[in-house]
Amino acid sequence: MSDDCIFCSIVAGDIPARVVAETDDALAFLDANPMARGHTLVIPKAHHQRVADLSHEESRAVFDLVHELAPVIEDAVDADAHTIGVNDGPDAGQEVPHAHVHIIPRFENDGGGPIHVATGDRPEVGDDELDEIADAIAE
Ligand code: 5GP
Ligand code: ZN
């Protein structure tokens, strides 16, 4: 637990949250400032900032809960789809430094866009560079 982390305080029960699901290693609660009805955050109970900081077990707990909750949330708010994403690091827009997955219900004609709007201008990436990047990741 990190003393000055708002999500650790929610895990500890020190500040209230609308908890919708809990497992040994993960917790899900409604976002206090929702981007859509049913906007839910799924977090590891232990304090880690980045997805890659989670242990394999914690990662499985978080993403299994995302997998389980998405259709339940969709039913609960009568949504048509979801945007599921992580702002993984401050440069990606992460404001709360405790890893969390956003499950954001989407509705037909809700005026939003695809996850592609998260980045700025697209880089020009040719075939050679795509090959290099794929090799660098695969290594
Ligand atoms: P981030 O930008 O870090 O990916 O998103 C943080 C999210 O946490 C935001 O959507 C924000 O509304 C939500 N949030 C911030 N503080 C609280 C809080 O105290 N309680 C709850 N339930 N959500 C919070
Ligand atoms: Zn924390």
Side-chain angles (χ1 to χ4, degrees):
M1 162 147 186
S2 168
D3 282 345
D4 55 358
C5 171
I6 199 139
F7 288 176
C8 282
S9 299
I10 288 174
V11 172
D14 293 338
I15 66 167
R18 292 179 175 84
V19 172
V20 297
E22 179 171 10
T23 67
D24 286 348
D25 291 322
L27 189 72
F29 52 89
L30 295 189
D31 194 294
N33 185 23
M35 296 178 69
R37 286 186 173 76
H39 182 173
T40 299
L41 303 174
V42 182
I43 70 169
K45 285 186 174 174
H47 182 85
H48 300 290
Q49 175 158 10
R50 303 286 305 275
V51 167
D53 298 333
L54 273 60
S55 69
H56 191 71
E57 199 174 41
E58 290 165 333
S59 171
R60 199 163 45 215
V62 168
F63 287 98
D64 277 358
L65 194 52
V66 171
H67 174 257
E68 192 176 323
L69 274 180
V72 177
I73 295 167
E74 198 164 305
D75 279 353
V77 298
D78 203 17
D80 302 306
H82 277 110
T83 294
I84 295 174
V86 181
N87 295 322
D88 190 29
D91 291 323
Q94 183 178 12
E95 291 184 357
V96 176
H98 183 131
H100 51 281
V101 180
H102 293 262
I103 305 176
I104 305 170
R106 299 295 304 272
F107 302 85
E108 192 179 2
N109 301 320
D110 64 10
I115 207 161
H116 300 75
V117 299
T119 57
D121 295 336
R122 288 192 188 206
E124 299 277 336
V125 187
D127 284 342
D128 288 348
E129 196 180 353
L130 285 172
D131 288 342
E132 284 168 24
I133 293 168
D135 288 346
I137 295 170
E139 271 170 23

